[in-house]
Amino acid sequence: MRKAVYPGSFDPLTLGHLDIIRRAAKNFDELIVSVVRNPSKNPLFSIEERVAIIKNATKDLPNVSVDHFEGLLTHYVESVGASIIVKGLRAITDFEYEFQMALMNRKLNEEIDTMFLMTRNKYSYLSSSMVKEVYRLGGDVSCLVTEYVLSKLSEKIIQVDNS
Ligand code: PNS
């Protein structure tokens, strides 16, 4: 059974992430998309909201489940009985950081490998932070996120603006 974990902040999920999920799901028996709880970051969406967004976007993919974790990724991957970490790689700028993380994770657990999927060209510039900034400043992000994310963004940004 080839079980993989696709970890990330997903704050929020973009079409770039979703493309990686769909492509990775074809290559593994089971794919767990897992949202990291990082106490040092101040995300726009709570863990529960991010999990709900990803569940909504992947409901047609029977071998994909959605979870969250805190602490070391390798400990989490071990705990769910997976042996592969899936990562999306955008431009060359991603490479150094991802390379470093992959080597560190391998050092922490020799049994766990990282597999990279190159992003599709059309999503190579896309990031969650950019989506949030463009949306906040009134730009159109409808071709970069799902409709569900778009509706959640509008609720969230209105809440943030009112606070
Ligand atoms: O979507 P992101 O923010 O690029 O995801 C980063 C993530 C979750 C993959 C990374 O921060 C991570 O692995 N966090 C868990 C903590 C950990 O294991 N750190 C050591 C990695 S070398």
Side-chain angles (χ1 to χ4, degrees), residues 117-140:
L117 285 178
M118 294 305 299
T119 185
R120 258 179 229 286
N121 226 356
K122 62 178 177 178
Y123 300 133
S124 59
Y125 61 94
L126 183 53
S127 72
S128 299
S129 358
M130 220 170 249
V131 164
K132 285 181 282 191
E133 181 168 340
V134 170
Y135 186 83
R136 202 175 266 132
L137 298 173
D140 180 9

Side-chain angles (χ1 to χ4, degrees), residues 48-128:
E48 293 72 23
E49 289 168 324
R50 283 179 275 163
V51 166
I53 284 171
I54 304 168
K55 279 190 173 162
N56 176 275
T58 57
K59 51 182 187 256
D60 63 319
L61 300 172
N63 63 334
V64 173
S65 58
V66 190
D67 193 12
H68 58 87
F69 75 102
E70 191 169 351
L72 270 186
L73 175 60
T74 48
H75 286 168
Y76 171 74
V77 173
E78 244 181 280
S79 75
V80 295
S83 56
I84 303 285
I85 297 168
V86 169
K87 288 297 199 70
L89 209 50
R90 285 169 306 190
I92 291 171
T93 42
D94 273 349
F95 181 76
E96 200 171 339
Y97 178 57
E98 290 295 345
F99 183 60
Q100 221 178 344
M101 278 204 290
L103 291 186
M104 177 56 84
N105 285 331
R106 191 157 176 73
K107 183 88 192 149
L108 293 168
N109 188 330
E110 283 277 318
E111 303 300 314
I112 298 174
D113 251 318
T114 304
M115 289 193 182
F116 293 101
L117 285 178
M118 294 305 299
T119 185
R120 258 179 229 286
N121 226 356
K122 62 178 177 178
Y123 300 133
S124 59
Y125 61 94
L126 183 53
S127 72
S128 299

